[in-house]
Amino acid sequence: MLTPDRIVSTTCPYCGVGCNLRLHVKDDFIYSVTTPFDAVVNKGNLCVKGRFGYDFIYHPDRVTEPLIRKTHQRPGERTQAFDRDAWRTVSWDEALDYVADRLVEIYQRDGARAMAVYCCAKATNEENYLLQKLFRALFRTNNVDHCTRLCHAGSVVALQMALGTSAMSNTAAEVVKSDCFIVTGSNTTENHPIIALQMKDAVRKHGAKLIVIDPRRLELCDFATLWLPLKPGTNVPVFTAMAHVIVKEGLVNRAFIEARTEGYAEFVRSLDDFTPEVAEAISGVDRNLIVEAARLYATARNGAIYWGMGISQFSNGTASALGLIHLALLTGHIGREGTGLNPLRGQNNVQGASDAGAMPFHFPGYMPVDDEEAAVQWERVWNVEPGGLDRARGLTTTEILSNVRPGGVRALYIMGENPMMTEPNLNVTRHHMEDLEFLVAQDLFINESGAYADVILPAASWAEKDGTFTNTDRRVQRVRQAIAPRGQTRPDWTIICDLAQRIELRLGRPASAGWSYAHPQEVMQEMASVVEEFRGITYERIDKVGLQYPVFDASHPGTPYLFADTFPSGRARFFPLEYVPVAEEADEEYPFILTTGRLLEHWHGGTMTRHSQLDALYPAPLVEMHEIDAARCAVKTGDAVRVSSRRGTVVLRVKVSPKATPGVVFIPMHFVEAAANLLTIDALDPQAKIPEYKACAVNIQIASEDDLVAPEAVQERGRY
Ligand code: SF4
C-alpha cells in the first residue's frame, strides 16, 4: 500500500452536493480519493464520480499549452477543428496579447453590445467573480451568463418573484427531519446521489412519507408512498390541483398566510380552473392520487419539497416552480428545519457562479444591474467612473448565440462551458458559432465548442488551484491545490487577471490595482466587502468546514435554513397561474415525447467524464423506452434506432427500461455521437429564458449497425 506524500482536503468538482474529498498524492500524482466519516455534507459517502472520476486530469488529450488557430476564417466560414494541426502552440504572452488585441479591437469598433462571456459553473466563485468583473468593468456589458440559464433559471426567477431570493431554503441533510417530502422533476439517485441516500434514510429510518411526481419511474419510487406519473410539461395543473384540494379541504395554514403572504384571495379565485379532474385530463395522473398527495403534504408536521430540472427546463418552467412555491406558502412548510423549497442545483458551483454575478440581470449578490445604488457601489469597488457600468440587462446564454450577427454579438469568451453540447437545437447553434468573429475557449480540453475557437487558453483543473465552491445548500467550501498544474496550464483566476491588465492598457484606462491579487482569498474579500450575505466569510473561517450563507459578520454562524421570521421581499407572494402546454406535443408524425437528462456515470457535456475511466462504465448513448413502445417500433434492447425530431436526427441503441413510461423516451445529454440536443427544441420560458429540454416530439425508426457513429468519427468529421 502506498504512503501518500500528502492528503489534501477539497470539494468534489462534479455535482452540487459538494462532497468533501481527500486527494491522496504521491510524487505529485493523485492516486486515490477518500472521504472522512465526519465530513459534514457526505459523512463518509461518495458516488462513483467523486471516488473515481478524477483521472481526466492526466488524459493525453488535455490541452497543456496555449494554442492559436493557424488559419482565421471569415465570419460564416468558421469550422469545427479538433485536429491539433489546425493550431500552433504559442507562449502565454503571445496568446494573451492576441486575445487582448482582438477583444479590444472589436469593442472599440462595435461597442459593448458586441462583447459576451460565458462564465462557468465548474470554476470557483473567485474566478466567476473576476470574469464577470472583466466584462462589466472593462467592456461595459452585462452580456454575462452561464449554464444556470440552462438548468434552474425558471426556479431562480420564480423564487425571486415570490420570495425575493433564489437559493435552496434549507440544508439537504435536513430531509431526515421531514415527515413528508415531495421529490419532483429530479432523478436524485443519479444526479445528487448523496442527497438521495439521505432521502432513503428519511423514509427507512425516520418513517417519512415520500411523494414522487415525475414522468419516469425512477429508483426513488421504490421508497415512495405515492408516485404521480405525469406527462412531461404538465406540472402546473398537477401542482395547482393539489393547491385546489388543500384550499377546498381547509388544510391551509391560515395564520401563516395572513402573517407572511400576500395575493392569497386572488390566487384562491384562480384555483376554480384547476380541479383534480381537469388536472387528470391534462396530465394523465389519477385524480385520487392528486388528492391523496395534497392531503399527505398539507397535513405533515414538517413538509419539504425538492425539485430538479424536470420542473425548470420547460417553456412553462417559471410557472411550474411557482406552482411548488404556492404549496409551501399555503401550508406554512417553510422557515423551519425539515421544511422548505429546495431546488437541487446541478453543477458543483452553479450556485456560487450565480452568487458571484455570472448572470445578465445581476451584479454579485443578486444586486440588480438596473438598480442605481447597486451600480454605484460596484463602480466604486471596480474603479469605474460614475455612470460607467451598464444599467441595462444583458443577454442570456441562448440570446447571446441567437444575437451573433453583424451589429450584434461578435466576440465570445467561453470559460469551461460547452454550448455545442448543451444548447438546444444544436444544428442552429452550430451556425451561430460559425458566425462569430472571435471566439476564446478557456478549458481543459478542446471540446465541441472549443473546436470553433480562435484561441485556446489551457486552464488548470480543480485539483491544481485554490478557491471556493458553493454547494446546493449555500455552503461555501474550500477548493485546495493538491498537485502542480499540468504543463503550462494556469488557474483561471490568474489567466483572467493577466488578460484584464493587458486589456486595461490597450483601452488607455488608468492602470488600477484591481487586477493584482496575491491569492483567491483576496478576491473573496473584495466580493464580501459589498455583498452583505458573504461579509462574514473568510478562508480562515471555512478552513475545515464550510459556512452556509448568509453570514453577516465575522461571528455569524451561517444559516442552515432561511425565512424563519421573514422573507427578503417582506411578504411572500402568490401568483395566479395559467396552464400553457409545452411548445411541441406528440402527433402522428412524431408520436413520442423525448425527455433528456443526466446519468450517474457522466456529467453534463461530458468534457470531464468522457476523458475519465467513468466512460467505460457507460460508454455509449442509449435511448430508454417502455416495452410497449419498443414493441410498437418492433425493436428490443441493443437494436440500433434512428431518433428524429423536426430539428435533427441521432442514431443510437435501444434500452428497454422499467424507468420509462409509455409514450415518453429518454436520451442522456452527454454523448456527442448521439447528441440529445440535436433533437431538443429552442422554445424558451418567456421570463427565465430557459429552453424546453424536457419535452419535444420525436419519431423512432429501425436503423442499421452501419448508421451508428463512434465519438472519434464525429471528431474526424469535424462536426456532428
Ligand atoms: Fe461528487 Fe456529487 Fe458524487 Fe458527491 S454526490 S461525490 S459531490 S458527484
Side-chain angles (χ1 to χ4, degrees):
M1 188 163 150
L2 277 179
T3 305
D5 297 335
R6 56 187 178 277
I7 298 176
V8 178
S9 177
T10 191
T11 305
C12 180
Y14 285 108
C15 89
V17 179
C19 295
N20 174 255
L21 304 183
R22 296 280 159 94
L23 308 183
H24 296 241
V25 181
K26 179 87 177 164
D27 299 332
D28 205 36
F29 184 86
I30 301 168
Y31 66 90
S32 165
V33 172
T34 60
T35 189
F37 286 104
D38 61 355
V40 67
V41 170
N42 50 305
K43 299 186 176 47
N45 296 301
L46 291 176
C47 81
V48 68
K49 288 190 289 290
R51 181 85 70 185
F52 300 111
Y54 57 88
D55 55 325
F56 63 86
I57 302 168
Y58 303 108
H59 195 281
D61 286 352
R62 178 103 185 257
V63 188
T64 55
E65 294 164 314
L67 303 173
I68 294 183
R69 256 195 204 248
K70 285 179 183 165
T71 53
H72 299 293
Q73 296 89 351
R74 290 197 301 274
E77 293 180 0
R78 184 179 298 273
T79 52
Q80 232 179 1
F82 293 93
D83 181 359
R84 292 292 170 100
D85 287 345
W87 312 82
R88 77 190 160 85
T89 302
V90 297
S91 66
W92 270 108
D93 277 341
E94 184 177 349
L96 291 175
D97 279 338
Y98 180 64
V99 172
D101 283 343
R102 292 298 320 273
L103 290 178
V104 169
E105 176 199 327
I106 293 168
Y107 172 64
Q108 290 182 329
R109 189 193 65 211
D110 292 340
R113 67 183 175 179
M115 316 302 287
V117 61
Y118 283 4
C119 295
C120 177
K122 307 214 70 60
T124 63
N125 290 322
E126 294 77 3
E127 289 160 343
N128 280 289
Y129 172 84
L130 288 172
L131 191 54
Q132 62 84 39
K133 173 180 168 180
L134 188 157
F135 274 75
R136 288 195 157 113
L138 300 185
F139 292 133
R140 309 298 164 88
T141 182
N142 288 317
N143 294 342
V144 175
D145 208 357
H146 75 293
C147 69
T148 189
R149 188 69 41 208
L150 309 178
C151 60
H152 262 302
S155 312
V156 168
V157 170
L159 287 163
Q160 288 280 0
M161 286 166 66
L163 313 180
T165 188
S166 58
M168 194 163 144
S169 69
N170 286 55
T171 303
E174 282 176 22
V175 68
V176 297
K177 302 281 173 62
S178 306
D179 46 326
C180 173
F181 60 102
I182 295 172
V183 177
T184 179
S186 163
N187 183 1
T188 320
T189 313
E190 300 207 44
N191 291 323
H192 299 85
I194 301 305
I195 294 177
L197 286 182
Q198 292 159 350
M199 289 174 169
K200 292 173 196 173
D201 271 358
V203 173
R204 285 185 304 206
K205 297 185 184 161
H206 301 271
K209 303 275 191 246
L210 166 60
I211 301 165
V212 175
I213 307 176
D214 201 283
R216 299 170 74 207
R217 197 194 183 291
L218 303 168
E219 193 229 13
L220 276 184
C221 294
D222 293 343
F223 298 79
T225 302
L226 297 174
W227 171 42
L228 279 60
L230 77 182
K231 265 171 49 185
T234 60
N235 298 308
V236 169
V238 171
F239 302 154
T240 311
M242 287 173 67
H244 176 105
V245 173
I246 291 168
V247 170
K248 289 284 182 259
E249 297 195 1
L251 302 176
V252 295
N253 182 334
R254 285 220 164 268
F256 182 91
I257 291 168
E258 276 164 27
R260 300 194 54 184
T261 71
E262 59 190 18
Y264 175 68
E266 195 190 347
F267 173 69
V268 168
R269 282 195 291 278
S270 75
L271 294 178
D272 290 344
D273 297 339
F274 289 101
T275 61
E277 292 72 20
V278 168
E280 177 183 286
I282 298 171
S283 69
V285 178
D286 185 315
R287 68 193 72 177
N288 296 313
L289 281 174
I290 294 172
V291 171
E292 221 180 316
R295 288 175 184 158
L296 208 53
Y297 172 75
T299 56
R301 195 170 27 86
N302 289 321
I305 304 175
Y306 296 82
W307 75 92
M309 291 177 282
I311 299 303
S312 54
Q313 286 181 334
F314 285 107
S315 55
N316 58 26
T318 302
S320 296
L322 282 169
L324 291 172
I325 293 166
H326 292 151
L327 297 178
L329 298 184
L330 287 173
T331 55
H333 284 325
I334 191 151
R336 304 188 312 280
E337 204 176 30
T339 67
L341 289 161
N342 301 299
L344 297 170
R345 306 307 300 265
Q347 301 236 38
N348 57 320
N349 199 35
V350 68
Q351 183 64 56
S354 307
D355 301 339
M359 295 206 293
F361 311 151
H362 297 109
F363 294 123
Y366 302 94
M367 297 163 73
V369 294
D370 47 11
D371 181 292
E372 184 60 24
E373 204 180 315
V376 168
Q377 284 195 66
W378 288 110
E379 281 167 354
R380 202 168 44 239
V381 174
W382 293 341
N383 301 306
V384 173
E385 74 282 1
L389 287 179
D390 188 8
R391 266 68 165 168
R393 293 170 158 220
L395 299 172
T396 62
T397 52
T398 309
E399 290 172 332
I400 285 170
L401 285 172
S402 61
N403 273 279
V404 173
R405 58 167 182 267
V409 172
R410 306 309 300 136
L412 177 59
Y413 194 109
I414 302 178
M415 175 169 78
E417 303 240 337
N418 191 359
M420 277 307 296
M421 283 294 286
T422 58
E423 285 288 319
N425 195 0
L426 286 175
N427 278 322
V428 170
T429 304
R430 176 194 303 135
H431 295 305
H432 298 322
M433 296 291 280
E434 288 168 352
D435 287 347
L436 279 164
E437 185 175 332
F438 187 59
L439 174 62
V440 181
Q442 187 169 305
D443 212 312
L444 277 61
F445 296 92
I446 303 176
N447 62 25
E448 290 72 20
S449 307
Y452 286 93
D454 295 272
V455 183
I456 305 277
L457 301 177
S461 73
W462 105 111
E464 298 160 326
K465 64 185 179 186
D466 284 337
T468 57
F469 292 156
T470 304
N471 80 347
T472 188
D473 50 25
R474 297 171 281 105
R475 194 182 302 272
V476 182
Q477 306 191 100
R478 283 296 312 273
V479 175
R480 289 188 181 81
Q481 181 174 359
I483 54 172
R486 301 296 87 183
Q488 293 185 42
T489 64
R490 295 176 56 185
D492 294 282
W493 70 273
T494 68
I495 301 172
I496 297 163
C497 288
D498 242 10
L499 180 64
Q501 286 170 341
R502 287 162 207 259
I503 291 170
E504 212 167 40
L505 206 65
R506 283 160 176 78
L507 289 172
R509 301 220 174 107
S512 72
W515 300 102
S516 328
Y517 305 93
H519 190 269
Q521 63 184 317
E522 294 178 5
V523 182
M524 175 58 84
Q525 278 164 15
E526 181 177 306
M527 183 160 47
S529 72
V530 177
V531 180
E532 280 181 6
E533 288 85 350
F534 301 158
R535 212 154 269 171
I537 297 176
T538 63
Y539 274 37
E540 292 74 37
R541 289 194 72 195
I542 59 171
D543 186 49
K544 294 208 162 44
V545 180
L547 278 170
Q548 286 170 282
Y549 77 80
V551 188
F552 290 111
D553 58 49
S555 58
H556 192 281
T559 313
Y561 62 89
L562 303 172
F563 319 134
D565 305 310
T566 185
F567 294 102
S569 54
R571 283 173 174 267
R573 179 154 191 84
F574 289 96
F575 290 86
L577 297 178
E578 282 175 18
Y579 168 57
V580 179
V582 295
E584 194 175 65
E585 306 260 21
D587 56 21
E588 212 170 295
E589 197 181 350
Y590 295 94
F592 300 100
I593 288 295
L594 167 71
T595 187
T596 65
R598 293 170 173 155
L599 301 168
L600 173 66
E601 299 83 352
H602 281 287
W603 197 246
H604 215 237
T607 304
M608 288 153 63
T609 52
R610 299 217 71 196
H611 290 104
S612 153
Q613 58 191 333
L614 294 171
D615 198 41
L617 298 178
Y618 203 120
L622 300 169
V623 53
E624 286 185 13
M625 304 173 69
H626 191 271
E627 59 187 357
I628 292 174
D629 295 334
R632 195 169 149 199
C633 297
V635 294
K636 59 185 184 315
T637 293
D639 286 352
V641 290
R642 184 182 304 277
V643 182
S644 302
S645 74
R646 291 183 173 84
R647 292 153 295 282
T649 294
V650 298
V651 180
L652 70 179
R653 292 188 193 281
V654 168
K655 179 181 179 186
V656 177
S657 167
K659 281 189 207 147
T661 44
V664 180
V665 300
F666 170 82
I667 298 180
M669 64 177 288
H670 318 291
F671 298 90
V672 65
E673 58 270 44
N677 282 321
L678 284 167
L679 308 175
T680 50
I681 189 166
D682 41 8
L684 301 182
D685 177 287
Q687 289 147 299
K689 313 284 185 190
I690 187 169
E692 190 149 76
Y693 292 108
K694 295 296 187 200
C696 72
V698 295
N699 64 37
I700 298 175
Q701 288 157 348
I702 295 170
S704 85
E705 291 289 306
D706 296 342
D707 294 330
L708 291 164
V709 181
E712 308 78 52
V714 177
Q715 298 207 343
E716 275 164 28
R717 205 170 52 191
R719 58 187 289 176
Y720 302 148

